[in-house]
Amino acid sequence: MRIGLIGTGRIGTFHADVLSRHRDVGSLVVADTDSARAAWVADRTGSTAAPSVDEVFTWGVDAVVIASATSAHAELISRAARAGLPAFCEKPIALDLAGTLGALREVESAGTVLQLGFMRRFDAGYGAARELVQSGRLGRLHTVRAITSDPAPPPAAYLPLSGGLYRDCLVHDFDIMRWVTGREVVEVYATGSDAGPAMFREAGDIDTAAAVLTLDDGTLATATATRCNGAGYDVRMELAGELDQFAVGLDDRTPITSTEPKGPPPCDNPWPGFLERFAPAYEAELDAFVGVVSGELDNPCDGWEALHALRIAEACELSRRERRPVPLAEIPGRQDVF
């Protein structure tokens, strides 16, 4: 199998390492708008560097992995669809509903495959939580709590391109909440704070956010996020039911300290970032994509999943701006109308 990889930043380099040693990938072509960067990654992984992105679509690849800048995702997905190529793309498809729907229509029209990179679906802890919910071990699920905390803010130049904290960061929590519970969000009430570094205010963004979400069976969920968690990278989910309660992401590297006399000891080696915490999940999602391309697996996370999560993020932004609950029915782009 010959795969083309577009984008050789941090996550693209990680993907190149994984794909270059995958047993079913015979060759890898890498490309980037920064050709020197692509050449460096190709040399490191024993791959072939393409002079530009265009060659990825003309050099006889069997599939495309998109890890480029967010602004290029939708067009590259559309190009892959028009070329008849299966594509894997890191989230998001686009930062707006129109761009997302446009790319999805291209894929649907071409009849090709698009797998979205919601890596938490491939994390062992979240997978176990989904199985516990489905098994009935918790009884009636009544409360879900999701937490995503980055140890430090991203570069200031990134913020205006990110889509904001809900679309860039909490969108992972919105997706995994749907996947673990098997339920849909019907209403949100969200707020946010820009009281941290000035660059967030300058970008019209927030550094900390909280949302209350009502699921379609009445389960209540909270989702919080911050860019300023100096203790370390902290991603968790708690699921509470009438019979039991479980936690995802609670281990000896969780950056939280108990104040109880008999509590667990402080963490002395906290997770530094998303790539370290979710490295096995990133590898597993690419392994699944190779299986999809070879016809051995069904698509585990198609492009419509990105639309569902983005609609929740859009509802949260609207709720924050207008300081009111927002039913998801107010947000355009439902799959069932197309």
Side-chain angles (χ1 to χ4, degrees), residues 113-129:
V113 170
L114 171 62
Q115 180 181 328
L116 252 292
F118 282 124
M119 79 291 188
R120 294 188 194 180
R121 295 184 179 214
F122 297 86
D123 176 73
Y126 284 107

Side-chain angles (χ1 to χ4, degrees), residues 6 53-54 56-58 61-64 66 72-87 99 101-114:
I6 301 172
V53 170
D54 291 339
V56 172
F57 297 98
T58 61
V61 299
D62 300 301
V64 174
I66 300 167
H73 285 186
E75 174 57 25
L76 291 171
I77 289 169
S78 297
R79 288 188 70 177
R82 292 192 294 268
L85 294 171
L101 284 164
L104 289 173
R105 289 190 187 110
E106 289 266 20
V107 173
E108 200 165 74
S109 176
T112 52
V113 170
L114 171 62

Side-chain angles (χ1 to χ4, degrees), residues 80-171:
R82 292 192 294 268
L85 294 171
F88 172 94
C89 185
E90 285 298 334
K91 69 85 188 167
I93 292 175
L95 293 177
D96 63 325
L97 292 168
T100 299
L101 284 164
L104 289 173
R105 289 190 187 110
E106 289 266 20
V107 173
E108 200 165 74
S109 176
T112 52
V113 170
L114 171 62
Q115 180 181 328
L116 252 292
F118 282 124
M119 79 291 188
R120 294 188 194 180
R121 295 184 179 214
F122 297 86
D123 176 73
Y126 284 107
R130 175 179 160 98
E131 291 176 4
L132 286 166
V133 171
Q134 293 176 341
S135 73
R137 285 269 303 278
L138 285 83
R140 180 183 68 87
L141 181 67
H142 53 72
T143 306
V144 180
R145 307 176 191 93
I147 298 168
T148 293
S149 301
D150 288 334
Y158 174 75
L159 294 178
L161 309 175
S162 72
L165 192 57
Y166 295 109
R167 298 185 190 93
D168 181 54
C169 187
L170 274 166
V171 71

